[in-house]
Amino acid sequence: MHSVTLNAIRDHVIHPPDNGDAQPISRQALHLAVMDRLRKMITEGTLPPGAHLNERALCEQLGVSRTPLREALKMLAVERLIELLPNRGARVVTLSEGDIADAFELLSGLEALAGELACERITQTEIDEIQALHCAMDACHASGDLPGYFDCNRRIHDRINAAARNPALTQMYQSVNRRLQALRFRSNLHAGKWERAIDEHVAMLSALRQRDGVALGRLLREHLMAKCASVLAHRRAAA
């Protein structure tokens, strides 16, 4: 994971850190690439909640002009990851405790439904692909690679959702999940919670292989609500 120090954040205004995210973005689908990079930076905490976004610094860091950056910011505002402030630029959204609890409750229900439907509709090839992702995720865990682990984790949940074969469900799932990505990422920073998440994924994969929709739905719901409890406990401790 990229190293981020307190010196990179002054008065909640982001200045470009010296890390791997500073590589210029190609011009192809530029605003989409910028949006993906910013979303990753929000998820991993390089752009923390409440941080004001310095357009000049971000343009320099990403190697783009202000036009694609502003297009990306508009799209992230639609996803409710940032908020645009009249005549004051933009800042990363800060979720209240109620926002977090409500979003996790909704997402846990969506994941449970996706798991139940996936067990009815998934192909063996898709199960094999999820198994491969699980092995890669386990390897990332063993090496302490949290960003790599989180990427594999996200792809596993996305594959289960896609196997449900319900576009309306997928659209809602993606919308809610994007608001919680940063919180889900940080929920694994504690070693004990990370170990527990791995065990939960082993059980989920077993239920999927057995096509036990009831069991997988229950495990997914419990998995998400455990993350919610972890996030809220950490928030209260920090407060």
Side-chain angles (χ1 to χ4, degrees):
M1 180 168 33
H2 298 311
S3 174
V4 180
T5 67
L6 292 177
N7 289 331
I9 303 170
R10 290 194 179 97
D11 299 325
H12 297 286
V13 177
I14 299 303
H15 299 278
D18 183 14
N19 59 26
D21 284 326
Q23 296 299 318
I25 293 173
S26 67
R27 297 188 63 82
Q28 186 177 11
L30 198 53
H31 69 286
L32 296 177
V34 172
M35 181 179 65
D36 287 342
R37 184 75 63 81
L38 292 175
R39 190 188 290 124
K40 182 175 184 288
M41 293 167 74
I42 292 171
T43 296
E44 296 186 5
T46 308
L47 300 176
H52 284 270
L53 305 183
N54 185 319
E55 286 192 5
R56 180 179 299 175
L58 286 171
C59 286
E60 179 183 341
Q61 177 180 348
L62 302 177
V64 299
S65 67
R66 290 198 174 187
T67 298
L69 176 65
R70 287 176 175 173
E71 287 299 314
L73 293 177
K74 289 177 184 178
M75 296 173 73
L76 291 173
V78 171
E79 294 182 2
R80 301 173 68 186
L81 293 181
I82 68 166
E83 50 187 340
L84 301 177
L85 309 171
N87 303 316
R88 289 184 293 151
R91 69 183 173 199
V92 180
V93 165
T94 300
L95 298 177
S96 70
E97 186 169 309
D99 292 333
I100 294 168
D102 290 346
F104 267 107
E105 184 177 62
L106 175 56
L107 189 64
S108 70
L110 295 172
E111 288 237 31
L113 176 58
E116 292 172 6
L117 294 176
C119 284
E120 297 174 8
R121 301 168 182 176
I122 197 167
T123 66
Q124 186 58 48
T125 297
E126 288 171 316
I127 292 176
D128 293 342
E129 291 171 349
I130 291 172
Q131 173 70 65
L133 282 170
H134 177 85
C135 291
M137 182 180 73
D138 203 32
C140 290
H141 170 254
S143 64
D145 178 8
L146 183 54
Y149 167 90
F150 189 77
D151 181 61
C152 291
N153 183 301
R154 175 187 57 77
R155 290 164 66 189
I156 287 170
H157 285 272
D158 285 349
R159 293 290 180 91
I160 293 173
N161 193 277
R165 308 285 195 270
N166 187 315
L169 172 60
T170 297
Q171 182 179 28
M172 182 172 290
Y173 165 80
Q174 291 176 344
S175 176
V176 178
N177 192 42
R178 281 173 182 150
R179 300 193 71 203
L180 296 174
Q181 287 292 288
L183 294 171
R184 294 182 72 169
F185 181 87
R186 289 195 293 274
S187 72
N188 291 314
L189 291 176
H190 186 282
K193 294 180 175 62
W194 197 359
E195 295 287 347
R196 186 158 56 249
I198 284 286
D199 291 341
E200 290 168 355
H201 269 270
V202 170
M204 284 186 272
L205 183 58
S206 176
L208 185 62
R209 282 198 299 257
Q210 296 173 35
R211 298 178 184 270
D212 187 341
V214 173
L216 181 57
R218 174 180 54 78
L219 288 166
L220 284 164
R221 187 186 296 274
E222 291 174 353
H223 181 68
L224 264 293
M225 294 314 295
K227 285 196 176 295
C228 180
S230 174
V231 166
L232 292 179
H234 181 270
R235 180 189 179 93
R236 290 162 187 162

